[in-house]
Amino acid sequence: MNSSALKIAVVGSGAVGGYYGGLLAHAGEDVHFLMRADLETVRANGLTIHTQGETITLPKVSCSATAEEIGPVDLVIIALKTTANPALETIIPPLLKPETTLITLQNGLGNEEFLSTRWGIQRVIGGLCFVCLNRTAPGVIDHFDAGSLSIGEFQRPVSERVTTLVDAFIRAGINARAVENLITERWRKLLWNISFNGLGIAGHGATVADVLANEGLRKVARDLMDEVLDAARRLGHEIGDEVADHHIDRSYALKRYRTSSMIDWEEGRPVETEAIWGEPWRQGVAAGAVMPRTEMLYQLIRHVS
């Protein structure tokens, strides 16, 4: 993969796709956005990213209504919610050529497997976005926390294409790094997502600050993290207790941040229930972990979403 000549398609141009794709485009990469709801607004007004006191505006953005309009690319950045994965069956094929790489920036477990069984494991890499973003209006993204992006091959060691892609993100101003064990990184992120995304919904719209300010909810968040840690370790992912403590400590800076799952629930959109809560719970229990709090959240969110 030669980053100086990458043609990139972004599938799922909401907060995550708009942010990472927008920064890559701002850095000079050839980025094409697949858009539906925001298409006409972005064509007219461009893309705006508010990030840590700075506003980045891309007045001209290459965006299309169909994958056929974009055509074959070198890299597909998949940022759709996991609830929309069936749509990838028709979206991905027009974007492929023999060497096209697929990177999923989606939450939870099972996304690399979904892509691999359809288009081959050799195409698939994953990215873990430890970042707080909201799409606040069509074509407008607010970035609340510096965050980081971890990129790795699926079931393979770090490759040249991963380091090339990491370099491209770094040039775009993103704190990116290559990781040897992608799924371990997914479990690291699940510590936060299972707890704070879940309690946001269970707390009827609780923000990160609401969870941390309530002694009982804060304890439940940490107890949930302990369940996830136990499950991860039983599955061979050695993650220390200090990672959970770090997640709690750094969350105070997020203040009244509303998680993406909570926003989906509040606005009546499908919640990524299976990827974030269901699949981790099933895998953990199958490995011998006891996860009553995780199961409770999973069943509750299934019921209300």
Side-chain angles (χ1 to χ4, degrees), residues 109-282:
L109 300 180
N111 299 304
E112 287 85 8
E113 290 86 347
F114 178 90
L115 297 173
S116 296
T117 57
R118 286 154 179 82
W119 297 291
I121 193 173
Q122 76 281 356
R123 293 189 185 273
V124 179
I125 60 178
L128 280 300
C129 313
F130 296 88
V131 67
C132 293
L133 304 163
N134 287 153
R135 171 187 168 278
T136 54
V140 180
I141 297 153
D142 282 2
H143 172 220
F144 298 93
D145 182 57
S148 62
L149 178 62
S150 300
I151 301 173
E153 291 279 355
F154 179 47
Q155 298 181 353
R156 288 164 296 169
V158 170
S159 63
E160 182 180 353
R161 68 174 175 177
V162 165
T163 57
T164 296
L165 188 53
V166 166
D167 289 343
F169 278 110
I170 290 173
R171 288 195 301 272
I174 296 160
N175 178 19
R177 68 186 183 107
V179 294
E180 286 289 346
N181 194 319
L182 176 68
I183 304 304
T184 296
E185 296 305 309
R186 287 211 168 275
W187 280 96
R188 284 178 183 267
K189 187 177 180 185
L190 281 167
L191 290 174
W192 198 93
N193 277 352
I194 285 175
S195 303
F196 282 93
N197 286 38
L199 291 175
I201 295 172
H204 294 279
T207 66
V208 171
D210 293 331
V211 172
L212 293 172
N214 183 292
E215 184 178 352
L217 287 178
R218 188 171 65 250
K219 182 180 185 305
V220 171
R222 188 60 176 79
D223 289 344
L224 281 161
M225 290 184 183
D226 282 338
E227 290 186 0
V228 179
L229 281 169
D230 182 42
R233 290 165 182 163
R234 289 173 184 271
L235 289 161
H237 308 290
E238 289 302 321
I239 304 172
D241 290 348
E242 72 279 359
V243 176
D245 295 332
H246 174 69
H247 278 318
I248 295 287
D249 291 342
R250 71 181 291 274
S251 295
Y252 283 94
L254 304 181
K255 299 179 181 178
R256 300 197 63 78
Y257 175 68
R258 301 162 68 230
T259 69
S260 59
S261 295
M262 189 187 78
I263 292 172
D264 287 339
W265 172 72
E266 287 187 324
E267 297 185 0
R269 294 192 295 265
V271 176
E272 297 176 292
T273 309
E274 295 302 327
I276 297 177
W277 295 277
E279 189 58 22
W281 170 68
R282 285 188 289 270

